[in-house]
Amino acid sequence: MDYQSYFLSNKDKHLQELGQLISIPSISALSEHKSDMNRAAEWVADSLHRAGMEQVEIYPTDGHPIVYGEHVHAPGKPTVLVYGHYDVQPVDPLELWESPPFEPTIRDNKLFARGATDDKGQIFLHIKAAEALLQLDKELPVNLKFCIEGEEEVTSPNLPFFLTEHQDKLAADVVLISDTALLEPGKPAICTGLRGLCSLEVSVRTANTDLHSGTYGGGVPNSLHVLVDLLASLHDKQGRVAVEGFYEGVPEMTDLIRDEIEKLQFSEEGLKQTLALDTLYGEEGFGFIARTGVRPTLELNGVYGGFQGEGTKTVIPKEAHAKITCRLVGDQDPQDVLDKIEAHLQSRLLPGAKLEVKQLERARAFTIDPSDPMLQKAADAYEKVYGTRALFTKDGGSIPIVETLSRVLKAPAVMMGFGLPNENLHAPNEHFHLENFDKGLLTIVEYLKSL
Amino acid sequence: MDYQSYFLSNKDKHLQELGQLISIPSISALSEHKSDMNRAAEWVADSLHRAGMEQVEIYPTDGHPIVYGEHVHAPGKPTVLVYGHYDVQPVDPLELWESPPFEPTIRDNKLFARGATDDKGQIFLHIKAAEALLQLDKELPVNLKFCIEGEEEVTSPNLPFFLTEHQDKLAADVVLISDTALLEPGKPAICTGLRGLCSLEVSVRTANTDLHSGTYGGGVPNSLHVLVDLLASLHDKQGRVAVEGFYEGVPEMTDLIRDEIEKLQFSEEGLKQTLALDTLYGEEGFGFIARTGVRPTLELNGVYGGFQGEGTKTVIPKEAHAKITCRLVGDQDPQDVLDKIEAHLQSRLLPGAKLEVKQLERARAFTIDPSDPMLQKAADAYEKVYGTRALFTKDGGSIPIVETLSRVLKAPAVMMGFGLPNENLHAPNEHFHLENFDKGLLTIVEYLKSL
């Protein structure tokens, strides 16, 4: 039986199994899901075990556990470490989901659910590819290791310690990660760059109590006025980040980068249509691919304060909050960027308000040279399955641990993604196109065999 | 028995009765409290009836009902119409209440509960004053009418129709309202001016779905950036409202007004201490009393969009919202102000965003000449009870219906308030100081007898 027939005849069973994992609401950011995190880790461990992995173990951490498993019986062959994550993003606003986020539903050949593509669906491909190889060939063409964590969506605070502590066990010639996307349907891509990330929470406080806007309005500081003034000051009229020194360490745009972007033939018109936008928006002088691939950004992810209910409430709220993340490129230092933003905010606070800044995550940007043979072979594997050789792209997202994995394990990181750009990651109606579920299994098999 | 002894010996019974009314969560802004609104109206009607009022009736409206009752057996004497409201503000944030908002609790001689001072406690004083007069004197010194509505906190959308329709029944020589505050403990005040009000809801929408801030960040419009840019543009660096034409119709500051303010001997230091503020803030060139009494203002009451939960969510939200109210003075036209704000927002919307503005309430400012004999007699009544003659003040708040009542019924409106400025109206831990509960009853009796 060839692999295509094998995967086809097992497809229903596989999707049912994946459905079990997806049904566990393993939201790492919300502490009430602690027991779901453990259930998801156990499910992954069982699944690795059933696939034929050995030494399967759940390692507790100060946060959520890490699942490990290996099959290392291919002397002389390279060792591949598959990294992925079983945790998912929160699901609000819940009312915008067309089917419940933790009830996997197939519509239009797409699997809808939180985690369908990011990243439960994609780690599942690697487990089932390994299982298939052991079923059909009775052996693996490489030494294979799995390291599946539960804190990727909260920037992997505990994985770096685990990597350093278990450096020998995890040693590999290549780190294989499926947590990125094709360029568009039928056009595979291998990500050779990820932006770094830093994040912060900003709180503004004024009086010691909420005040009536009739009695006090106009005469006391309003925390919301102070906050929107601060937040609006973070960008200038050209869409640039207005924090002094923010762009330190950002590489110049070169002709080479311009050429690479040109080659992608990306359609901004198509994107505008998909998102129902009259126009895109961003830093003046750059297109969408440059803005999201090689330029840094500062985004407001949440702003809130005062009355949010039905109707009117004439209140001057005593506090207001914002959540901010930056995407970083080149040599931008996350700590330095956080400090500069904090100083910027502090310097222009309106009278009568107190500012509190909580610095949260910090991760550097990552890049890899596309000429690395481990990447070239990955591009070949895509070509065999998709009929099109993968392009080398830079992704605007951050998988902070990629830079750490590559540095600690001294191995190239191959980002072999099977998602699509519009699959609503981190948003309502996340989904995974099943065409790439099928082709992903085959591409992984091809790749492992080619090494 | 004199009135003081009567009220003292009935105090416990009165407070228990008031507690029943306060326990009904009659929040007019929230539709799920519809049945509570009806219960509160019935309670008020019963209470008027028990006090000796006649023709007691609950008038349904398109919103919440209006309660009417009268006792008109004093030919040749003036007719007093008592206006008040049985509806209350929402109670969030609930976690900041020291005792549950609808469980009246006495601490430190203060009655804590939503509506304790605004306005259930104060309408109750008028009902019990009338009851006492009928009990002790067997007659009323005036013709008395009650008109108690349930939509004051949502700007009385239905009362104007009711007033016009029942103009003859409601005809009066003076409209008496207790919904304002003393200047400070022991220093009574009669409000001769109220600011007008207009309000709006602003929504900004960008893409048709929430987007991942990694993949899209920097390359698409962010509804939160657009919103904070709009909101920050509403004020200039001098704390003035930056909407063109906003100040049209605002009276010039005169020496007379400056003198009146001077007479109040208001302590900004004391206010700063009470509110734990380093400094007050507002329009440059004015003090607190002018800023809140004779100047208009634009306040953000709520701003929200994107992620508000625990931790980080790397999302670019597709929509963001704000709730805004303005306080108006002099001849400012609420409709004109709303239109100007909408035009201002529309004119500076960042690319890629759509703006939706919902215009909500509209009420003109109100003023009355302090030399009116109805006001002078009220100041005398205060003096008899408090030992200090009431000052004539201007309040920053809005009771939109006061202007309408006075205009439709062609009668002066006497705002005889018994609250205190720091009783947390519209905020957690609203309360009513019981010293003014006691003195309020006596002052009302004195006033009615003096007419």
Side-chain angles (χ1 to χ4, degrees):
Chain A
M1 195 186 239
D2 67 4
Y3 282 91
Q4 191 149 15
S5 315
Y6 173 86
F7 287 129
L8 193 64
S9 64
N10 281 285
K11 186 165 174 180
D12 286 350
K13 187 172 140 259
H14 285 169
L15 285 174
Q16 214 162 4
E17 270 187 58
L18 175 56
Q20 293 168 4
L21 174 59
I22 283 177
S23 302
I24 305 170
S26 47
I27 303 170
S28 49
L30 303 178
S31 47
E32 70 256 36
H33 288 284
K34 183 77 196 158
S35 72
D36 297 318
M37 297 307 296
N38 293 332
R39 275 169 60 215
E42 276 159 27
W43 193 97
V44 171
D46 281 354
S47 177
L48 285 173
H49 188 76
R50 284 198 310 273
M53 296 301 112
E54 297 160 355
Q55 310 281 343
V56 174
E57 205 162 328
I58 296 174
Y59 289 86
T61 72
D62 283 352
H64 305 305
I66 293 163
V67 186
Y68 178 83
E70 63 177 35
H71 192 280
V72 287
H73 305 295
K77 295 287 185 165
T79 300
V80 177
L81 177 79
V82 172
Y83 163 83
H85 62 95
Y86 63 83
D87 63 324
V88 300
Q89 281 277 322
V91 295
D92 58 282
L94 195 58
E95 68 275 14
L96 297 185
W97 285 81
E98 283 170 32
S99 52
F102 296 108
E103 291 179 18
T105 309
I106 294 171
R107 292 194 296 275
D108 212 9
N109 204 31
K110 295 165 189 164
L111 175 66
F112 283 83
R114 172 59 85 228
T117 185
D118 179 17
D119 183 41
K120 288 174 174 173
Q122 299 206 52
I123 57 174
F124 186 75
L125 296 180
H126 287 275
I127 299 173
K128 290 299 144 185
E131 188 175 86
L133 282 162
L134 283 171
Q135 293 274 328
L136 296 187
D137 296 357
K138 310 302 169 198
E139 62 175 16
L140 292 185
V142 294
N143 298 297
L144 193 59
K145 299 174 177 178
F146 282 88
C147 173
I148 313 294
E149 70 152 325
E151 300 189 307
E152 197 272 344
E153 300 295 3
V154 292
T155 331
S156 310
N158 292 295
L159 193 63
F161 306 111
F162 179 80
L163 291 180
T164 310
E165 205 180 329
H166 300 278
Q167 218 164 325
D168 293 339
K169 190 186 210 41
L170 298 168
D173 300 299
V174 58
V175 180
L176 183 58
I177 305 165
S178 295
D179 199 15
T180 47
L182 308 194
L183 206 58
E184 55 185 77
K187 269 177 104 175
I190 295 169
C191 178
T192 61
L194 287 165
R195 291 195 283 190
L197 177 88
C198 63
S199 62
L200 59 157
E201 268 180 43
V202 176
S203 296
V204 164
R205 293 187 173 82
T206 48
N208 55 4
T209 181
D210 285 356
L211 295 170
H212 190 300
S213 75
T215 317
Y216 293 95
V220 293
N222 178 329
S223 64
L224 285 171
H225 295 197
V226 178
L227 185 68
V228 300
D229 179 73
L230 287 179
L231 298 179
S233 78
L234 291 169
H235 290 88
D236 67 15
K237 299 268 164 231
Q238 287 72 45
R240 286 172 60 90
V241 178
V243 174
E244 204 185 317
F246 178 82
Y247 289 93
E248 264 173 39
V250 174
E252 290 289 308
M253 274 291 274
T254 60
D255 286 345
L256 189 71
I257 296 173
R258 281 205 185 80
D259 286 351
E260 275 183 29
I261 292 174
E262 197 61 41
K263 246 192 274 175
L264 298 176
Q265 296 186 296
F266 180 79
S267 161
E268 296 203 351
E269 274 310 313
L271 180 63
K272 276 154 55 176
Q273 276 175 27
T274 307
L275 301 180
L277 284 170
D278 296 338
T279 179
L280 300 178
Y281 182 74
E283 191 183 352
E284 233 176 65
F286 299 93
F288 178 79
I289 294 293
R291 284 168 175 167
T292 56
V294 297
R295 299 297 296 174
T297 184
L298 181 157
E299 298 290 328
L300 304 178
N301 307 118
V303 175
Y304 50 105
F307 186 60
Q308 305 186 19
E310 190 187 343
T312 296
K313 188 177 175 201
T314 49
V315 66
I316 299 179
K318 69 188 186 109
E319 55 187 298
H321 310 273
K323 287 173 185 275
I324 303 174
T325 50
C326 296
R327 301 290 169 163
L328 309 176
V329 299
D331 290 326
Q332 278 183 300
D333 175 0
Q335 183 58 58
D336 181 53
V337 168
L338 287 173
D339 292 343
K340 281 170 173 162
I341 295 170
E342 185 164 344
H344 173 98
L345 296 173
Q346 198 71 58
S347 75
R348 55 170 297 151
L349 192 65
L350 286 173
K354 285 183 194 73
L355 176 71
E356 187 196 341
V357 174
K358 266 194 219 161
Q359 299 188 355
L360 301 171
E361 298 130 313
R362 293 164 192 84
R364 286 181 165 273
F366 167 77
T367 51
I368 185 172
D369 184 344
S371 67
D372 190 295
M374 290 295 182
L375 262 75
Q376 290 295 328
K377 283 185 180 167
D380 297 339
Y382 272 118
E383 188 166 12
K384 283 202 181 131
V385 177
Y386 283 81
T388 315
R389 200 158 191 276
L391 287 170
F392 296 106
T393 58
K394 289 183 186 300
D395 192 277
S398 310
I399 313 175
I401 202 61
V402 173
E403 192 265 343
T404 316
L405 278 162
S406 188
R407 179 165 38 78
V408 175
L409 303 179
K410 297 179 191 67
V414 174
M415 278 177 273
M416 181 182 254
F418 298 106
L420 284 173
N422 62 351
E423 291 185 329
N424 291 353
L425 279 72
H426 296 205
N429 304 312
E430 177 179 343
H431 58 276
F432 187 20
H433 201 298
L434 293 181
E435 180 189 332
N436 298 312
F437 181 87
D438 302 334
K439 290 189 174 159
L441 288 163
L442 292 171
T443 307
I444 294 166
V445 167
E446 283 297 337
Y447 182 54
L448 296 182
K449 287 193 161 194
S450 75
L451 291 177
Chain B
M1 196 185 238
D2 67 5
Y3 283 90
Q4 190 148 18
S5 315
Y6 173 86
F7 288 129
L8 193 64
S9 63
N10 282 286
K11 185 166 175 178
D12 286 349
K13 188 173 140 258
H14 285 168
L15 286 174
Q16 216 162 2
E17 270 186 56
L18 175 56
Q20 293 167 6
L21 174 58
I22 283 177
S23 303
I24 305 170
S26 47
I27 302 170
S28 49
L30 302 179
S31 48
E32 72 256 35
H33 287 284
K34 182 77 194 158
S35 71
D36 297 317
M37 298 307 298
N38 293 331
R39 277 170 59 215
E42 277 158 26
W43 193 97
V44 171
D46 280 352
S47 177
L48 286 172
H49 187 76
R50 284 197 310 272
M53 295 303 111
E54 297 160 354
Q55 313 278 346
V56 174
E57 206 162 327
I58 297 175
Y59 289 86
T61 73
D62 283 351
H64 305 303
I66 293 163
V67 186
Y68 178 82
E70 65 176 34
H71 191 282
V72 287
H73 305 293
K77 296 286 186 165
T79 299
V80 176
L81 177 79
V82 172
Y83 163 83
H85 63 93
Y86 63 82
D87 64 324
V88 300
Q89 281 277 319
V91 295
D92 58 283
L94 196 57
E95 68 274 15
L96 297 184
W97 284 81
E98 283 170 32
S99 51
F102 296 108
E103 290 178 19
T105 309
I106 294 171
R107 293 193 295 276
D108 213 8
N109 204 30
K110 297 164 187 162
L111 176 65
F112 283 83
R114 170 60 83 230
T117 185
D118 177 19
D119 184 37
K120 288 175 174 173
Q122 299 205 53
I123 58 174
F124 186 75
L125 296 180
H126 286 275
I127 299 173
K128 289 300 143 183
E131 187 175 87
L133 283 161
L134 284 170
Q135 292 277 326
L136 297 187
D137 295 358
K138 310 298 170 202
E139 61 174 17
L140 292 185
V142 294
N143 298 298
L144 193 60
K145 300 175 177 178
F146 281 89
C147 173
I148 313 293
E149 71 152 325
E151 300 189 306
E152 196 274 341
E153 301 294 4
V154 291
T155 330
S156 311
N158 292 296
L159 192 61
F161 306 110
F162 179 81
L163 291 181
T164 311
E165 203 179 332
H166 301 276
Q167 219 165 323
D168 293 339
K169 189 186 210 39
L170 298 168
D173 300 297
V174 58
V175 180
L176 182 59
I177 305 165
S178 295
D179 199 14
T180 48
L182 309 195
L183 208 59
E184 56 184 78
K187 271 177 103 172
I190 294 169
C191 179
T192 60
L194 287 166
R195 291 195 284 190
L197 176 89
C198 62
S199 61
L200 60 157
E201 268 180 41
V202 176
S203 297
V204 165
R205 292 186 175 82
T206 47
N208 55 4
T209 180
D210 284 356
L211 294 170
H212 189 299
S213 75
T215 316
Y216 293 94
V220 293
N222 179 327
S223 64
L224 285 170
H225 294 199
V226 179
L227 185 68
V228 300
D229 179 73
L230 288 179
L231 299 179
S233 79
L234 292 168
H235 290 88
D236 67 15
K237 300 270 165 230
Q238 285 73 47
R240 286 171 61 90
V241 178
V243 174
E244 204 185 316
F246 178 82
Y247 289 92
E248 264 173 39
V250 174
E252 290 289 306
M253 272 292 273
T254 60
D255 286 346
L256 189 71
I257 296 174
R258 282 207 183 78
D259 285 353
E260 274 183 30
I261 291 174
E262 195 62 40
K263 248 192 273 175
L264 299 175
Q265 295 187 299
F266 180 77
S267 162
E268 296 203 352
E269 274 311 312
L271 179 63
K272 275 153 59 175
Q273 276 174 27
T274 307
L275 301 179
L277 285 170
D278 295 339
T279 181
L280 300 178
Y281 182 74
E283 192 183 352
E284 235 175 63
F286 298 93
F288 178 81
I289 294 294
R291 284 169 175 167
T292 56
V294 296
R295 300 296 296 173
T297 183
L298 181 157
E299 298 289 330
L300 304 178
N301 306 118
V303 176
Y304 51 103
F307 186 60
Q308 305 187 18
E310 191 187 342
T312 296
K313 188 176 174 201
T314 47
V315 67
I316 300 179
K318 70 188 185 109
E319 56 187 297
H321 310 273
K323 286 170 185 278
I324 302 174
T325 50
C326 295
R327 300 290 168 162
L328 309 176
V329 299
D331 290 326
Q332 278 184 299
D333 174 1
Q335 184 58 58
D336 181 53
V337 168
L338 287 173
D339 292 342
K340 281 171 174 162
I341 295 170
E342 186 164 343
H344 172 99
L345 295 173
Q346 198 70 59
S347 75
R348 56 170 296 150
L349 193 64
L350 286 174
K354 286 183 194 73
L355 177 72
E356 186 197 342
V357 173
K358 265 194 221 162
Q359 299 188 356
L360 302 171
E361 297 128 314
R362 296 164 191 80
R364 286 181 166 275
F366 167 77
T367 50
I368 186 174
D369 184 343
S371 68
D372 190 294
M374 288 296 182
L375 263 73
Q376 292 293 329
K377 283 187 181 164
D380 297 339
Y382 272 117
E383 187 167 14
K384 284 203 182 130
V385 177
Y386 283 81
T388 314
R389 201 158 190 274
L391 287 169
F392 296 106
T393 58
K394 289 183 186 298
D395 193 278
S398 309
I399 312 174
I401 202 61
V402 173
E403 193 265 342
T404 316
L405 279 162
S406 188
R407 179 165 41 78
V408 175
L409 303 179
K410 298 180 190 67
V414 174
M415 279 177 272
M416 180 183 255
F418 299 105
L420 284 172
N422 62 351
E423 291 185 329
N424 292 351
L425 278 73
H426 297 205
N429 302 312
E430 176 178 345
H431 57 275
F432 187 21
H433 201 300
L434 293 181
E435 182 188 330
N436 297 312
F437 180 88
D438 302 333
K439 290 189 172 159
L441 287 163
L442 292 171
T443 306
I444 293 166
V445 167
E446 284 298 337
Y447 182 55
L448 297 181
K449 288 193 159 195
S450 76
L451 292 178

